[in-house]
Amino acid sequence: MFIAMRFVLLSLLLGSPAYAWNATIGDICTLTHETEAEAIRLTYNPAQPLYTLEITRRAEGWTQTPWFAMRFEGPNPIEIGTPRHKLSDDAMSLFVSDTGFGNVLDGLEFNQTAYAFTQDRLSEFSLEGAAPEVRKFRTCAAARLS
């Protein structure tokens, strides 16, 4: 019985996908995180310089709305919004671009949960493990400034 229970527990742990935050540094730097339901991807192109945020919903896409916002909850809560978002052709991904993403990066690094939302859609991301990867992602911009 004990061996069977250990096997079941081990199978559940090994069979569960690991969703980690991941930063890569290169000509275009990325910060990504995926769950079964959604994916979030930030890019920084130092040649322009331009930051881009992409949030993809796998089951139910986004709808065209007048604004998009993010709320970060935890020790340093932040809420930001913009009317300058765009949807992919299939409406599964939402995009925002800007020359500065300081508030987004602060929200990801210093909080526990991120919410991306419009009037009728909500995506939630755990920020567990995000802080070291956000710091790594920030080095991309810092390296280009020196």
Side-chain angles (χ1 to χ4, degrees):
M1 172 87 167
F2 177 71
I3 293 172
M5 288 184 68
R6 275 184 55 187
F7 178 75
V8 169
L9 182 60
L10 185 60
S11 296
L12 288 172
L13 290 174
L14 293 177
S16 299
Y19 301 116
W21 286 87
N22 185 43
T24 58
I25 306 302
D27 291 337
I28 295 178
C29 301
T30 62
L31 176 65
T32 59
H33 179 67
E34 294 190 33
T35 69
E36 288 182 19
E38 296 142 336
I40 185 169
R41 175 184 166 100
L42 282 82
T43 60
Y44 176 66
N45 182 345
Q48 295 194 356
L50 186 68
Y51 289 91
T52 302
L53 169 70
E54 175 184 355
I55 300 174
T56 301
R57 296 171 52 92
R58 297 194 198 318
E60 179 182 36
W62 298 94
T63 59
Q64 189 60 52
T65 58
W67 55 264
F68 164 74
M70 290 191 79
R71 182 174 59 243
F72 303 95
E73 292 187 356
N76 298 292
I78 299 171
E79 188 165 331
I80 53 178
T82 183
R84 298 182 307 155
H85 62 288
K86 297 182 176 165
L87 301 181
S88 62
D89 289 340
D90 63 2
M92 298 307 279
S93 296
L94 182 145
F95 300 90
V96 177
S97 297
D98 203 338
T99 56
F101 261 29
N103 284 338
V104 173
L105 295 176
D106 287 349
L108 294 171
E109 184 174 356
F110 302 116
N111 289 290
Q112 298 164 337
T113 306
Y115 299 97
F117 58 98
T118 62
Q119 288 92 329
D120 61 355
R121 298 288 189 267
L122 173 71
S123 292
E124 179 180 346
F125 297 93
S126 167
L127 299 178
E128 182 178 343
E133 295 301 306
V134 173
R135 288 190 292 273
K136 182 178 173 184
F137 181 80
R138 286 181 191 262
T139 65
C140 184
R144 303 305 192 251
L145 295 175
S146 28

